[in-house]
Amino acid sequence: MKMNKTGFINELSKQLSLSVEKCAVINDILEENFFISKKSKPKIIDELMNRLDINLDSAENIYDVSVKIYNSELKNKLHHPFGSKD
């Protein structure tokens, strides 16, 4: 699967059992920050808590799932740089 912005939001929605609208807000927060950098994690967690009105555990879970999806797609691109032949 080729992951684009919409694909990422849909995958977040599926894995987190949240609405696409909430996941779009999550994506906006991640795009506003360099979310792969561990230095950005505390700021992102704070923004998730504030903008989504959630607790620390929920915000950390969202961050962890987002990183997992991103890393999975990155690994897929490294293994299949030209896409699949389907």
Side-chain angles (χ1 to χ4, degrees):
M1 171 176 83
K2 183 177 179 186
M3 184 81 56
N4 57 20
K5 183 176 181 173
T6 303
F8 180 76
I9 291 170
N10 289 334
E11 188 62 24
L12 268 179
S13 177
K14 184 174 109 181
Q15 289 194 28
L16 295 171
S17 299
L18 295 173
S19 70
V20 172
E21 292 78 17
K22 277 194 176 184
C23 290
V25 172
I26 294 166
N27 185 67
D28 290 344
I29 293 168
L30 297 174
E31 285 184 347
E32 291 167 6
N33 300 279
F34 186 63
F35 91 97
I36 300 305
S37 169
K38 294 213 185 268
K39 291 180 181 178
S40 299
K41 183 176 180 177
K43 182 180 180 206
I44 292 169
I45 297 294
D46 286 344
E47 281 195 53
L48 289 169
M49 289 171 44
N50 291 332
R51 287 177 57 183
L52 298 175
D53 194 27
I54 57 175
N55 65 27
L56 178 62
D57 289 339
S58 295
E60 287 181 341
N61 182 55
I62 289 169
Y63 180 86
D64 292 341
V65 169
S66 299
V67 170
K68 185 180 96 179
I69 293 169
Y70 179 83
N71 286 340
S72 173
E73 184 59 24
L74 184 62
K75 190 181 298 182
N76 185 40
K77 285 188 185 293
L78 291 172
H79 288 288
H80 307 286
F82 302 108
S84 63
K85 295 184 179 192
D86 298 330

